[in-house]
Amino acid sequence: MAKIISGKDVAEKILTTNIKPKVDDLKLKGVIPTLVVILVGDVQASASYVRQKEKFAAKAGIKSEVRKFSETVPEQEVLDEIIKINKDSDLHGIIVQLPLPDHISVTKILNSIDPSKDVDGFTPTNVGKLFLGEETLVSCTPKGIMLLLESVNTDLKGKNVTVIGRSNIVGKPVSILCQQKHATVTMCHSRTKDLTAKLSDADVIIVAVGVPKFIHGDQIPMGSIVIDVGIHNVDGKLCGDVDFESAQNKVSAITPVPGGVGPMTVCALIENTVIAAERLSNKN
Ligand code: NAD
């Protein structure tokens, strides 16, 4: 029987054993870790993600503020707000909820965030540090995936990991993290030929493609671990990039959708905010 890796349970455990004690220590020093979320426009999915982040922040005992802007806000106004937050020593984490409207440059916005407050780990400085293996704020979904693998005691040393999807926010960074754990990583993407062959000797498969039920059980080697990053609403029902029904008969462990990677992304964000608060308060 496949083990279902519950991101919800792992997140709760990390909250209790790791995040809350750090928050308590910071509060004793008079520091309340504070996250600012910048939300532009009226994207329903974004609003829902932001609510999940606010809920977990409240559970952790940290402060979160949402700064909302209209769909037509000039880019400079958002940049000015970020510069203000960068300078405010009471604020420790900044995230800009993506997507942004077309007239706003994501690159310009992300580049304006102070890397020490970049709790999404999206700035060039933090991405570069991750690449170099230096201490940094690691982007949340890849960090969450690594915590999920740790939760099932997966030692990646010498293992074959196949990552499907090469996005900057999931595929590329998670491949670096797996290599740092001494895995042999195969990267697959939209131009990969014979994807099924690339999966045939995988011990771990990480799927971040953005296509509902893209990977099926018949493509998955027996006994592998599958991390399903995708999240889709198909006819009112949530599903991932993996066809869970057929996959669960092949795997030794698999993440469900919902309740797998999603809660871990939120957990990693809140943990990053606490880490940022610790580092910034040590500097002051
Ligand atoms: P993206 O669209 O930026 O990248 C998708 C990647 O998949 C690309 O690199 C592309 O080359 C690859 N791809 C597309 N078609 C392919 C094919 N036929 N064969 C092989 N590879 C193919 O997506 P993303 O931002 O990495 O997100 C992927 C999925 O994960 C989406 O469903 C997204 O909603 C979800 N997601 C979930 C979380 C979470 O916290 N649960 C976080 C981030 C993303």
Side-chain angles (χ1 to χ4, degrees), residues 35 84-95 113-120 126 137 276 280:
L35 170 70
K84 241 172 49 194
I85 301 167
N86 283 343
K87 288 185 185 151
D88 188 334
S89 60
D90 289 333
L91 307 175
H92 309 100
I94 310 173
I95 63 164
I113 298 173
D114 176 348
S116 62
K117 298 191 177 187
D118 166 32
V119 286
D120 252 340
N126 287 335
L137 292 164
L280 289 163

PDB file of all heavy atoms in Angstrom, residues 35 84-95 113-120 126 137 276 280:
ATOM      1  N   LEU A  35       5.057  39.628   8.104  1.00  0.00           N
ATOM      2  CA  LEU A  35       5.070  39.373   6.661  1.00  0.00           C
ATOM      3  C   LEU A  35       4.134  40.366   5.972  1.00  0.00           C
ATOM      4  O   LEU A  35       3.013  40.578   6.436  1.00  0.00           O
ATOM      5  CB  LEU A  35       4.566  37.941   6.410  1.00  0.00           C
ATOM      6  CG  LEU A  35       4.268  37.532   4.970  1.00  0.00           C
ATOM      7  CD1 LEU A  35       5.547  37.413   4.159  1.00  0.00           C
ATOM      8  CD2 LEU A  35       3.507  36.191   4.937  1.00  0.00           C
ATOM      9  N   LYS A  84       9.503  51.294   0.560  1.00  0.00           N
ATOM     10  CA  LYS A  84       9.110  51.694   1.932  1.00  0.00           C
ATOM     11  C   LYS A  84       9.223  50.491   2.882  1.00  0.00           C
ATOM     12  O   LYS A  84       9.741  50.590   3.994  1.00  0.00           O
ATOM     13  CB  LYS A  84       7.647  52.189   1.909  1.00  0.00           C
ATOM     14  CG  LYS A  84       7.523  53.628   2.336  1.00  0.00           C
ATOM     15  CD  LYS A  84       6.166  54.245   2.154  1.00  0.00           C
ATOM     16  CE  LYS A  84       4.969  53.494   2.666  1.00  0.00           C
ATOM     17  NZ  LYS A  84       3.709  54.048   2.136  1.00  0.00           N
ATOM     18  N   ILE A  85       8.731  49.335   2.425  1.00  0.00           N
ATOM     19  CA  ILE A  85       8.769  48.124   3.271  1.00  0.00           C
ATOM     20  C   ILE A  85      10.223  47.694   3.496  1.00  0.00           C
ATOM     21  O   ILE A  85      10.593  47.301   4.614  1.00  0.00           O
ATOM     22  CB  ILE A  85       7.944  46.973   2.623  1.00  0.00           C
ATOM     23  CG1 ILE A  85       6.494  47.398   2.432  1.00  0.00           C
ATOM     24  CG2 ILE A  85       8.021  45.708   3.482  1.00  0.00           C
ATOM     25  CD1 ILE A  85       5.681  46.470   1.526  1.00  0.00           C
ATOM     26  N   ASN A  86      11.040  47.796   2.460  1.00  0.00           N
ATOM     27  CA  ASN A  86      12.468  47.447   2.593  1.00  0.00           C
ATOM     28  C   ASN A  86      13.100  48.205   3.761  1.00  0.00           C
ATOM     29  O   ASN A  86      13.945  47.669   4.482  1.00  0.00           O
ATOM     30  CB  ASN A  86      13.237  47.809   1.314  1.00  0.00           C
ATOM     31  CG  ASN A  86      13.008  46.824   0.189  1.00  0.00           C
ATOM     32  OD1 ASN A  86      12.545  45.708   0.406  1.00  0.00           O
ATOM     33  ND2 ASN A  86      13.332  47.228  -1.035  1.00  0.00           N
ATOM     34  N   LYS A  87      12.685  49.474   3.915  1.00  0.00           N
ATOM     35  CA  LYS A  87      13.334  50.347   4.906  1.00  0.00           C
ATOM     36  C   LYS A  87      12.739  50.195   6.299  1.00  0.00           C
ATOM     37  O   LYS A  87      13.319  50.673   7.270  1.00  0.00           O
ATOM     38  CB  LYS A  87      13.174  51.813   4.467  1.00  0.00           C
ATOM     39  CG  LYS A  87      14.034  52.177   3.270  1.00  0.00           C
ATOM     40  CD  LYS A  87      13.893  53.656   2.987  1.00  0.00           C
ATOM     41  CE  LYS A  87      14.632  54.042   1.721  1.00  0.00           C
ATOM     42  NZ  LYS A  87      14.005  55.193   1.055  1.00  0.00           N
ATOM     43  N   ASP A  88      11.566  49.561   6.414  1.00  0.00           N
ATOM     44  CA  ASP A  88      10.862  49.506   7.703  1.00  0.00           C
ATOM     45  C   ASP A  88      11.385  48.323   8.530  1.00  0.00           C
ATOM     46  O   ASP A  88      11.129  47.159   8.197  1.00  0.00           O
ATOM     47  CB  ASP A  88       9.356  49.367   7.438  1.00  0.00           C
ATOM     48  CG  ASP A  88       8.532  49.497   8.707  1.00  0.00           C
ATOM     49  OD1 ASP A  88       9.069  49.208   9.801  1.00  0.00           O
ATOM     50  OD2 ASP A  88       7.355  49.873   8.605  1.00  0.00           O
ATOM     51  N   SER A  89      12.079  48.609   9.616  1.00  0.00           N
ATOM     52  CA  SER A  89      12.729  47.526  10.379  1.00  0.00           C
ATOM     53  C   SER A  89      11.722  46.664  11.156  1.00  0.00           C
ATOM     54  O   SER A  89      12.097  45.617  11.686  1.00  0.00           O
ATOM     55  CB  SER A  89      13.790  48.103  11.314  1.00  0.00           C
ATOM     56  OG  SER A  89      13.170  49.006  12.199  1.00  0.00           O
ATOM     57  N   ASP A  90      10.450  47.090  11.210  1.00  0.00           N
ATOM     58  CA  ASP A  90       9.435  46.250  11.869  1.00  0.00           C
ATOM     59  C   ASP A  90       8.864  45.192  10.914  1.00  0.00           C
ATOM     60  O   ASP A  90       8.079  44.335  11.325  1.00  0.00           O
ATOM     61  CB  ASP A  90       8.270  47.108  12.381  1.00  0.00           C
ATOM     62  CG  ASP A  90       8.694  47.947  13.571  1.00  0.00           C
ATOM     63  OD1 ASP A  90       9.623  47.524  14.287  1.00  0.00           O
ATOM     64  OD2 ASP A  90       8.104  49.027  13.773  1.00  0.00           O
ATOM     65  N   LEU A  91       9.228  45.284   9.632  1.00  0.00           N
ATOM     66  CA  LEU A  91       8.694  44.342   8.644  1.00  0.00           C
ATOM     67  C   LEU A  91       9.832  43.442   8.155  1.00  0.00           C
ATOM     68  O   LEU A  91      10.890  43.938   7.767  1.00  0.00           O
ATOM     69  CB  LEU A  91       8.068  45.103   7.467  1.00  0.00           C
ATOM     70  CG  LEU A  91       7.015  46.158   7.847  1.00  0.00           C
ATOM     71  CD1 LEU A  91       6.548  46.928   6.608  1.00  0.00           C
ATOM     72  CD2 LEU A  91       5.819  45.520   8.554  1.00  0.00           C
ATOM     73  N   HIS A  92       9.592  42.106   8.186  1.00  0.00           N
ATOM     74  CA  HIS A  92      10.704  41.178   7.941  1.00  0.00           C
ATOM     75  C   HIS A  92      10.601  40.400   6.633  1.00  0.00           C
ATOM     76  O   HIS A  92      11.608  39.921   6.128  1.00  0.00           O
ATOM     77  CB  HIS A  92      10.803  40.190   9.105  1.00  0.00           C
ATOM     78  CG  HIS A  92      10.821  40.875  10.429  1.00  0.00           C
ATOM     79  ND1 HIS A  92       9.702  40.985  11.220  1.00  0.00           N
ATOM     80  CD2 HIS A  92      11.811  41.531  11.076  1.00  0.00           C
ATOM     81  CE1 HIS A  92      10.007  41.673  12.310  1.00  0.00           C
ATOM     82  NE2 HIS A  92      11.263  42.008  12.245  1.00  0.00           N
ATOM     83  N   GLY A  93       9.372  40.235   6.134  1.00  0.00           N
ATOM     84  CA  GLY A  93       9.199  39.459   4.911  1.00  0.00           C
ATOM     85  C   GLY A  93       8.297  40.195   3.940  1.00  0.00           C
ATOM     86  O   GLY A  93       7.320  40.833   4.353  1.00  0.00           O
ATOM     87  N   ILE A  94       8.648  40.118   2.647  1.00  0.00           N
ATOM     88  CA  ILE A  94       7.794  40.727   1.603  1.00  0.00           C
ATOM     89  C   ILE A  94       7.550  39.671   0.541  1.00  0.00           C
ATOM     90  O   ILE A  94       8.506  39.035   0.070  1.00  0.00           O
ATOM     91  CB  ILE A  94       8.503  41.881   0.845  1.00  0.00           C
ATOM     92  CG1 ILE A  94       9.129  42.878   1.800  1.00  0.00           C
ATOM     93  CG2 ILE A  94       7.551  42.560  -0.135  1.00  0.00           C
ATOM     94  CD1 ILE A  94       9.985  43.915   1.052  1.00  0.00           C
ATOM     95  N   ILE A  95       6.285  39.496   0.168  1.00  0.00           N
ATOM     96  CA  ILE A  95       6.038  38.717  -1.050  1.00  0.00           C
ATOM     97  C   ILE A  95       5.076  39.484  -1.948  1.00  0.00           C
ATOM     98  O   ILE A  95       4.200  40.207  -1.462  1.00  0.00           O
ATOM     99  CB  ILE A  95       5.498  37.294  -0.776  1.00  0.00           C
ATOM    100  CG1 ILE A  95       4.137  37.324  -0.091  1.00  0.00           C
ATOM    101  CG2 ILE A  95       6.474  36.460   0.012  1.00  0.00           C
ATOM    102  CD1 ILE A  95       3.436  35.976  -0.166  1.00  0.00           C
ATOM    103  N   ILE A 113      12.949  44.032  -4.341  1.00  0.00           N
ATOM    104  CA  ILE A 113      12.798  43.529  -2.963  1.00  0.00           C
ATOM    105  C   ILE A 113      14.172  43.342  -2.323  1.00  0.00           C
ATOM    106  O   ILE A 113      15.074  42.762  -2.934  1.00  0.00           O
ATOM    107  CB  ILE A 113      12.012  42.188  -2.959  1.00  0.00           C
ATOM    108  CG1 ILE A 113      10.600  42.394  -3.514  1.00  0.00           C
ATOM    109  CG2 ILE A 113      11.962  41.575  -1.569  1.00  0.00           C
ATOM    110  CD1 ILE A 113       9.807  41.096  -3.704  1.00  0.00           C
ATOM    111  N   ASP A 114      14.314  43.812  -1.099  1.00  0.00           N
ATOM    112  CA  ASP A 114      15.559  43.599  -0.349  1.00  0.00           C
ATOM    113  C   ASP A 114      15.745  42.084  -0.162  1.00  0.00           C
ATOM    114  O   ASP A 114      14.876  41.426   0.427  1.00  0.00           O
ATOM    115  CB  ASP A 114      15.416  44.304   1.009  1.00  0.00           C
ATOM    116  CG  ASP A 114      16.612  44.073   1.922  1.00  0.00           C
ATOM    117  OD1 ASP A 114      17.445  43.195   1.628  1.00  0.00           O
ATOM    118  OD2 ASP A 114      16.697  44.778   2.933  1.00  0.00           O
ATOM    119  N   PRO A 115      16.851  41.504  -0.655  1.00  0.00           N
ATOM    120  CA  PRO A 115      17.029  40.042  -0.571  1.00  0.00           C
ATOM    121  C   PRO A 115      16.902  39.501   0.858  1.00  0.00           C
ATOM    122  O   PRO A 115      16.461  38.357   1.037  1.00  0.00           O
ATOM    123  CB  PRO A 115      18.443  39.813  -1.114  1.00  0.00           C
ATOM    124  CG  PRO A 115      18.679  40.976  -2.015  1.00  0.00           C
ATOM    125  CD  PRO A 115      17.957  42.146  -1.396  1.00  0.00           C
ATOM    126  N   SER A 116      17.229  40.319   1.850  1.00  0.00           N
ATOM    127  CA  SER A 116      17.126  39.807   3.229  1.00  0.00           C
ATOM    128  C   SER A 116      15.660  39.710   3.683  1.00  0.00           C
ATOM    129  O   SER A 116      15.364  39.108   4.709  1.00  0.00           O
ATOM    130  CB  SER A 116      17.945  40.668   4.196  1.00  0.00           C
ATOM    131  OG  SER A 116      17.439  41.976   4.198  1.00  0.00           O
ATOM    132  N   LYS A 117      14.739  40.326   2.906  1.00  0.00           N
ATOM    133  CA  LYS A 117      13.302  40.222   3.222  1.00  0.00           C
ATOM    134  C   LYS A 117      12.551  39.401   2.165  1.00  0.00           C
ATOM    135  O   LYS A 117      11.330  39.275   2.220  1.00  0.00           O
ATOM    136  CB  LYS A 117      12.686  41.631   3.313  1.00  0.00           C
ATOM    137  CG  LYS A 117      13.299  42.494   4.421  1.00  0.00           C
ATOM    138  CD  LYS A 117      12.522  43.759   4.660  1.00  0.00           C
ATOM    139  CE  LYS A 117      13.162  44.526   5.821  1.00  0.00           C
ATOM    140  NZ  LYS A 117      12.369  45.692   6.228  1.00  0.00           N
ATOM    141  N   ASP A 118      13.294  38.855   1.215  1.00  0.00           N
ATOM    142  CA  ASP A 118      12.700  38.132   0.072  1.00  0.00           C
ATOM    143  C   ASP A 118      12.334  36.702   0.498  1.00  0.00           C
ATOM    144  O   ASP A 118      13.039  35.747   0.180  1.00  0.00           O
ATOM    145  CB  ASP A 118      13.720  38.144  -1.079  1.00  0.00           C
ATOM    146  CG  ASP A 118      13.378  37.161  -2.171  1.00  0.00           C
ATOM    147  OD1 ASP A 118      12.178  36.919  -2.409  1.00  0.00           O
ATOM    148  OD2 ASP A 118      14.328  36.616  -2.790  1.00  0.00           O
ATOM    149  N   VAL A 119      11.228  36.574   1.221  1.00  0.00           N
ATOM    150  CA  VAL A 119      10.872  35.274   1.806  1.00  0.00           C
ATOM    151  C   VAL A 119      10.325  34.280   0.779  1.00  0.00           C
ATOM    152  O   VAL A 119      10.145  33.099   1.090  1.00  0.00           O
ATOM    153  CB  VAL A 119       9.911  35.447   3.010  1.00  0.00           C
ATOM    154  CG1 VAL A 119      10.663  35.974   4.205  1.00  0.00           C
ATOM    155  CG2 VAL A 119       8.736  36.346   2.680  1.00  0.00           C
ATOM    156  N   ASP A 120      10.082  34.743  -0.453  1.00  0.00           N
ATOM    157  CA  ASP A 120       9.726  33.820  -1.536  1.00  0.00           C
ATOM    158  C   ASP A 120      10.986  33.286  -2.212  1.00  0.00           C
ATOM    159  O   ASP A 120      10.905  32.373  -3.041  1.00  0.00           O
ATOM    160  CB  ASP A 120       8.868  34.543  -2.600  1.00  0.00           C
ATOM    161  CG  ASP A 120       7.408  34.099  -2.557  1.00  0.00           C
ATOM    162  OD1 ASP A 120       7.131  33.017  -2.009  1.00  0.00           O
ATOM    163  OD2 ASP A 120       6.559  34.832  -3.094  1.00  0.00           O
ATOM    164  N   ASN A 126      19.115  35.852  -4.129  1.00  0.00           N
ATOM    165  CA  ASN A 126      18.814  34.606  -3.404  1.00  0.00           C
ATOM    166  C   ASN A 126      18.839  33.381  -4.317  1.00  0.00           C
ATOM    167  O   ASN A 126      19.253  32.301  -3.893  1.00  0.00           O
ATOM    168  CB  ASN A 126      17.473  34.734  -2.674  1.00  0.00           C
ATOM    169  CG  ASN A 126      17.600  35.644  -1.463  1.00  0.00           C
ATOM    170  OD1 ASN A 126      18.694  35.808  -0.909  1.00  0.00           O
ATOM    171  ND2 ASN A 126      16.501  36.250  -1.041  1.00  0.00           N
ATOM    172  N   LEU A 137      17.462  32.519   1.628  1.00  0.00           N
ATOM    173  CA  LEU A 137      16.052  32.199   1.829  1.00  0.00           C
ATOM    174  C   LEU A 137      15.636  31.367   0.615  1.00  0.00           C
ATOM    175  O   LEU A 137      15.616  31.867  -0.508  1.00  0.00           O
ATOM    176  CB  LEU A 137      15.230  33.485   1.936  1.00  0.00           C
ATOM    177  CG  LEU A 137      15.495  34.310   3.203  1.00  0.00           C
ATOM    178  CD1 LEU A 137      14.965  35.739   3.056  1.00  0.00           C
ATOM    179  CD2 LEU A 137      14.878  33.644   4.435  1.00  0.00           C
ATOM    180  N   ALA A 276      13.986  35.184   8.401  1.00  0.00           N
ATOM    181  CA  ALA A 276      14.342  36.563   8.024  1.00  0.00           C
ATOM    182  C   ALA A 276      14.314  37.460   9.259  1.00  0.00           C
ATOM    183  O   ALA A 276      15.215  38.285   9.469  1.00  0.00           O
ATOM    184  CB  ALA A 276      13.386  37.081   6.954  1.00  0.00           C
ATOM    185  N   LEU A 280      17.502  39.476  10.608  1.00  0.00           N
ATOM    186  CA  LEU A 280      17.449  40.942  10.619  1.00  0.00           C
ATOM    187  C   LEU A 280      17.576  41.478  12.039  1.00  0.00           C
ATOM    188  O   LEU A 280      18.239  42.486  12.268  1.00  0.00           O
ATOM    189  CB  LEU A 280      16.140  41.436   9.965  1.00  0.00           C
ATOM    190  CG  LEU A 280      16.082  41.247   8.444  1.00  0.00           C
ATOM    191  CD1 LEU A 280      14.654  41.363   7.927  1.00  0.00           C
ATOM    192  CD2 LEU A 280      16.975  42.275   7.739  1.00  0.00           C
TER     193      LEU A 280
END
